[in-house]
Amino acid sequence: MKRLFNNNLSKILIIFTILYLLKYVLPQSFMLEVIILSIYTMGCSFLIGRVGFVSFGQPAYLAIGAYGTAFYLYYFGTNPFVAILVGILLGLIINIITGAFFIRLNSSYYTLCNQAFCVVNFFIFQKALVKYTHGDNGLWFLSRIDPTPVIDLSRTEGVFIFAFLVAVGVWLLFNYLMNHSVFGATCLCVKCNEEKLRFLGYNVFNIKWLAFIIANTITSLAGALYSLYFGFVSAGITAPSKAIEPVAISMLGGAGTLFGPLVGSFIFIGLKDIASQVISYWELLVGLMLIIVMLAGEKGIVGSLEGFLSKLINKHGNNEGLQATNIEGEVGSE
Amino acid sequence: MPKNNTILEVTNLNAAYGQSKVIFDINLNVKLNERVAIVGRNGAGKTTMLKCIAGLLKASSGSVIYDGMEIMGKAPFEVAKMGLKYIDQDKEVFLDLTVRENLQLSSYATGDYNWDRVFEHFPKLKILLDRKGAYLSGGERQMLMIGRAILGDPKVLLIDEPTEGLAPSIVNDLVTTFHDLSKDSAIIIVGQNLSFVSRVAQRIYAVKEGRMIAEIRDKEEIKEATYSRYL
């Protein structure tokens, strides 16, 4: 039992099985939103928790992926897979360019520069490119999406399965990056003490750049999925007022944890869809919850629960666990 | 091979923090396998000097020749990769990573996965492999920092205040360790613990208010720590 819960691959398998089964209990649209929002938040959570980059500009990267997909489907073609690829590639190119400049900044300057980038993007999509984006009226292309074999992305069911599989892939990727790669470890070291990493012979700039590119391209991928799901994109997707959402969800779930974005997204969409039917100011509940979670230890829900659960599992673990504790005790007494 | 076995040669090094000049025309040289110490009071510019050599601070002028090559202006990671390693005085390792992971990071950067040399100098690290950096004592952290630095067979180790905050027994162990380490690398120590410096260094540079004021070679003077008159 202990070994099962200590293995992240098992956790991913269990959690995503539950997530898939939940679509038979909860509305499919709700689950789809949770999945896409959690992919969106994953990049942000990784940057905050593992690299130390807090960004209030994530809607910009989301919008780039969304508009890449939308432009393709509205103006050029009808294949949704190609459209997603276009969204990702556009995101990748923009992230490579912007990342090379933004990661030179530290802490609050990085945060605000991203916010400014978000504002610039909002202006571009709403005003400057209004001829192509149709500004706030947006681009409608649902009817232009061709049915596709195996997974039909012209239907919500197909988008759900595709987004679900993408999410599994994203989680496997981040599990590898966070827990099994030197790159993941160096990211954490950048957050702790980047100067020390330089002493060891690492090019910190490249590490931060790669982290930025990976995380924000995943955000663009989420944008492409949003675009495909709604069959519509408007400038509102990059509204600066929405910039707090991925940061708040990351903090709520647990920034830098593997499952924090999923838990945070589930709670956020849950409150938005359910609590908003009872009270109009549902954001108030998110705010209060965020304050409580932060005061409880700044680790988010998953971070706090992980500590509690591992203590519980160790306490009721088998003899192997006790033996391991004793060995550690001996070392400690030296 | 560098001339006269000199592995590091610093000439007319000047550095400033903004408008405030901190070190003035520093000249020093270190030979292969030599143990050199830089001593001086707080604020004398010792750490600034090491950081300039390691590329962590940009010097305003001067030259740093390492292994026959000019390294002034190179990024710190390039300097480290060339085999000139800096060990900071703050005893901070990567707290969230285990000892094993800390060593792996260094191995990955240098391509040197031979940890036997590390365990030869610091056998305790072998027992602590799975312990996180946050749960190591000051002495254990110092061992890990040096252990990480010696991976990749560096030719020069710059060690800033290695004894600060350490128990006397650990300081004694470090004396032996530094003697052993110098069989493979030249060592430059910055320190204020004169009894430690006297037991380790073969040559001493005294620094006062950013200027190199004396070079002590006399064994008796080093042993008796009479060079303290310069500080």
Side-chain angles (χ1 to χ4, degrees), chain A residues 196 199-203 331-332, chain B residues 56 77 80 88 90 92 105 131:
Chain A
K196 286 270 186 298
F199 303 164
L200 292 182
Y202 283 92
N203 186 338
V331 172
Chain B
L56 292 156
F77 79 91
D88 207 356
D90 61 8
E92 267 189 31
L105 268 184
R131 184 168 292 190

Side-chain angles (χ1 to χ4, degrees), chain A:
Chain A
M1 189 70 167
K2 186 184 169 187
R3 190 169 292 175
L4 184 71
F5 277 97
N6 280 341
N7 182 346
N8 277 326
L9 280 179
S10 311
K11 284 182 192 168
I12 291 173
L13 189 72
I14 293 167
I15 287 172
F16 275 92
T17 306
I18 294 170
L19 209 63
Y20 190 82
L21 293 174
L22 273 176
K23 79 164 184 163
Y24 298 106
V25 183
L26 296 166
Q28 186 171 266
S29 58
F30 173 85
M31 290 311 298
L32 188 50
E33 269 196 69
V34 168
I35 288 170
I36 299 176
L37 183 63
S38 59
I39 296 172
Y40 172 30
T41 312
M42 188 48 140
C44 181
S45 170
F46 177 75
L47 286 177
I48 296 174
R50 296 284 167 151
V51 194
F53 279 161
V54 181
S55 160
F56 284 131
Q58 293 309 100
Y61 307 105
L62 185 79
I64 289 162
Y67 270 106
T69 301
F71 281 151
Y72 176 80
L73 286 171
Y74 194 84
Y75 293 109
F76 302 106
T78 52
N79 188 323
F81 286 114
V82 177
I84 290 173
L85 204 62
V86 171
I88 296 170
L89 281 176
L90 187 66
L92 181 66
I93 293 164
I94 303 279
N95 293 330
I96 288 172
I97 298 166
T98 53
F101 297 100
F102 289 3
I103 57 143
R104 292 167 197 273
L105 302 169
N106 286 319
S107 57
S108 23
Y109 291 100
Y110 173 85
T111 308
L112 293 175
C113 190
N114 271 282
Q115 171 98 64
F117 183 60
C118 185
V119 174
V120 168
N121 267 268
F122 184 58
F123 172 79
I124 289 172
F125 291 127
Q126 193 192 35
K127 307 270 188 210
L129 294 179
V130 68
K131 193 176 161 190
Y132 307 101
T133 63
H134 301 175
D136 289 330
N137 294 326
L139 298 171
W140 296 82
F141 48 85
L142 197 58
S143 58
R144 286 179 54 84
I145 301 172
D146 270 351
T148 47
V150 189
I151 300 172
D152 185 1
L153 293 185
S154 64
R155 297 165 61 86
T156 309
E157 174 69 23
V159 176
F160 177 84
I161 294 170
F162 183 73
F164 178 82
L165 293 175
V166 167
V168 174
V170 167
W171 256 258
L172 289 174
L173 170 72
F174 276 94
N175 177 41
Y176 173 73
L177 288 181
M178 287 179 184
N179 304 314
H180 303 286
S181 72
V182 174
F183 171 70
T186 54
C187 285
L188 206 55
C189 298
V190 166
K191 188 186 172 192
C192 299
N193 194 330
E194 62 180 75
E195 200 173 57
K196 286 270 186 298
L197 207 55
R198 289 196 183 101
F199 303 164
L200 292 182
Y202 283 92
N203 186 338
V204 172
F205 179 88
N206 284 352
I207 294 167
K208 290 203 274 191
W209 195 20
L210 189 59
F212 180 95
I213 292 167
I214 293 173
N216 288 333
T217 304
I218 294 295
T219 304
S220 299
L221 164 67
L225 290 173
Y226 263 130
S227 191
L228 199 68
Y229 168 47
F230 292 116
F232 161 79
V233 172
S234 76
I237 195 170
T238 185
S241 58
K242 288 186 176 173
I244 187 69
E245 284 180 7
V247 178
I249 296 167
S250 300
M251 299 290 202
L252 190 63
T257 60
L258 193 57
F259 298 105
L262 257 180
V263 173
S265 303
F266 200 91
I267 292 170
F268 187 82
I269 300 283
L271 286 172
K272 188 173 143 190
D273 284 11
I274 299 163
S276 61
Q277 292 171 9
V278 186
I279 56 165
S280 39
Y281 301 110
W282 62 275
E283 292 96 338
L284 185 76
L285 290 178
V286 178
L288 284 174
M289 197 176 270
L290 196 59
I291 291 169
I292 293 166
V293 168
M294 288 299 102
L295 289 175
E298 299 178 9
K299 291 176 184 170
I301 294 170
V302 172
S304 305
L305 280 181
E306 261 179 358
F308 175 73
L309 282 176
S310 63
K311 268 183 200 167
L312 200 71
I313 291 165
N314 280 332
K315 198 174 174 184
H316 299 288
N318 51 26
N319 288 336
E320 191 190 336
L322 287 172
Q323 210 177 343
T325 315
N326 285 339
I327 290 168
E328 202 172 320
E330 274 173 34
V331 172
S333 64
E334 272 188 356

Side-chain angles (χ1 to χ4, degrees), chain B residues 5 7 28-38 155-159 174-190 196-205 215-217 219 222:
Chain B
N5 278 345
I7 187 73
L28 68 86
N29 61 76
V30 182
K31 290 187 169 51
L32 283 167
N33 308 105
E34 197 180 13
R35 297 185 302 278
V36 173
I38 301 169
K155 288 181 187 151
V156 176
L157 290 172
L158 308 173
I159 310 175
L174 277 183
V175 173
T176 319
T177 305
F178 286 169
H179 276 89
D180 291 343
L181 285 173
S182 68
K183 288 172 190 162
D184 301 307
S185 316
I187 297 178
I188 303 178
I189 303 163
V190 153
F196 174 79
V197 165
S198 292
R199 284 187 289 163
V200 172
Q202 295 164 309
R203 201 151 54 84
I204 295 173
Y205 288 103
E215 182 187 346
I216 301 103
R217 291 169 178 268
K219 281 182 184 171
I222 292 172

